[in-house]
Amino acid sequence: MSNPASPPAVGVVDDRPPLTFPPGFLWGAATAAYQIEGAAAKGGRTPSIWDTFSHTPGRVVEGHTGDVACDHYHRLGSDVALMAELGLRSYRFSVSWPRVQPGGTGPANAEGLDFYRRLVDELLAHGIEPWLTLYHWDLPQPLEDVGGWPARDTAARFADYATLVADALGDRVRYWTTLNEPWCSAFLGYGSGVHAPGRSDGADAVRAGHHLMLGHGLAVQALRAARPTAEVGVTVNLYPVTPASDAPADVDAARRIDGLANRFFLDPLLRGSYPADLMADLAKVTDFGHVRDGDLATISTPLDVVGVNYYSRHVVAAPVPGAQPEPYWRAPSCWPGSEDVRFVTRGVPVTDMNWEIDAPGLVETLRRVHEEYTDLPLYVTENGSAFVDEVVDGRVDDVDRLAYFDAHLRAAHEAIEAGVPLRGYFAWSLMDNFEWAWGYTKRFGMIHVDYDTQVRIPKSSARWYAEVIRRNGLAAQ
Ligand code: FCB
């Protein structure tokens, strides 16, 4: 059993044992380009779908954009120094496609690549392993203008871009992730439209999902060709999906959502096929005519590592005629063909995103990937929580976030004891940042960012995490 979500209250004796992680466990923190870099029009960068989307009124809360964000582009040196101060062993960042290949086609932009060269060199100089994600949602706008991810050609463009980055950084970056969370790109971007580019068409979402995975497979091949020694993987966001009751209709609702949320990606990537039941569920949405011979072999090109992002669990129930969908999944839905499945809240503690806190779900998720899909080394490439923070006397005592990390690290350890080859953990996020459709209203960082002054304050969770890294585990407290 996992430990409860919060450490014992002050004054209560904590009898939990200290937990030590395997030697060499890769402790890190993660960010993404559009969420932190700012400098949207600097150094030859051109707009991505997120620039267009965030500048479209009504798309992002309070009209926030990533134009300035955390201004990391200009603060790379001091940000890496902060990472070193926390003792991070690794830093997961993403490369902005339109910064290094403006417009998404043609030659590389030397100035854009230079920024990432400087970042990587600075990390290496501090003994921090760079972990590079090629695509964290910022498709160059011109590629969207000619069809975006629902168009097959975008997959080939992505592989070309992968080659440009590998040629420039392959000599100093060992770990490569192709895509971050293709479910979000496909189903939030083209299904519900709550993410860029904000389109809403179930068939397009399914096509986008396929072409993202095709682009991934082609990019894996391109990376291997450019850098045979690279460790290459993909990051998927996974949720345990639990039926609200044992009633067969609820169990079937869980099967459907599990198909769309998890197996839509895991099966093609790690088994080379789409699940038959998922294809049947989607029959009224698409005939899968976009899948060509050989695609699934490309998509399942062998990997070296698999990245798992974990935040919460879905609990679902059978449709009730006439019932309204949950607001977050507002129509049009990000669950094509299963729009009417109900998402149930259990009344357990939630984060500021309203996501239920469910650390045992991380154990379940990691075990499932290992036991049902692959023996490859796994990494938690994101895990974290948003809470409302308060700066008091220059300090941020984020006890809720700290408790979230504590509970999930205990879950990660439990997974390792159950035989999962978990090799590392990246906290989301290194610092507060642009939380997509929520703008700057949700804070996930271990480091507080004052967006007016760009002053950074490591929160209590950051100090605590530094100690976890130093001990390679959790203290008894
Ligand atoms: C994930 C994203 C990441 C961040 C966290 C909270 O879905 O990969 O960029 O927004 O959620």
Side-chain angles (χ1 to χ4, degrees), residues 357-388:
I357 300 171
D358 194 319
L362 176 58
V363 187
E364 254 175 68
T365 299
L366 293 171
R367 288 192 64 166
R368 181 193 196 183
V369 174
H370 175 61
E371 289 165 15
E372 294 180 24
Y373 285 96
T374 181
D375 287 333
L376 286 174
L378 306 185
Y379 289 81
V380 172
T381 38
E382 282 179 32
N383 174 240
S385 54
F387 286 103
V388 176

Side-chain angles (χ1 to χ4, degrees), residues 14 49 71 75 88 90 268 271 277 307 320 335 399 413 439:
D14 186 353
I49 54 175
D71 197 32
R75 290 162 201 270
L88 293 190
S90 182
R271 290 183 179 158
D277 67 308
V320 167
W335 306 107
V399 283
H413 193 271

Side-chain angles (χ1 to χ4, degrees), residues 35 136-137 180-181 309 311 355 382 428 435-436 444:
Q35 295 182 277
H136 202 126
W137 306 354
N180 177 72
E181 301 192 351
N309 289 359
Y311 288 93
W355 297 346
E382 282 179 32
W428 183 272
E435 178 47 34
W436 309 113
F444 275 90

Side-chain angles (χ1 to χ4, degrees), residues 319-335:
V320 167
Q324 289 302 306
E326 289 280 308
Y328 186 74
W329 317 117
R330 67 177 184 261
S333 169
C334 55
W335 306 107

Side-chain angles (χ1 to χ4, degrees), residues 8 10-12 27 31 41 44 48 100 108 135 208 216 221 224 252 257 275-276 357 360 405 428 443 452 469-470:
V10 177
V12 174
W27 296 103
T31 63
S48 77
V100 305
Y135 187 73
H216 152 82
Q221 295 171 0
R224 292 216 193 288
D252 196 57
I257 298 302
I357 300 171
F405 283 134
W428 183 272
R443 292 181 179 271
D452 293 329
I469 297 172
R470 201 187 60 74

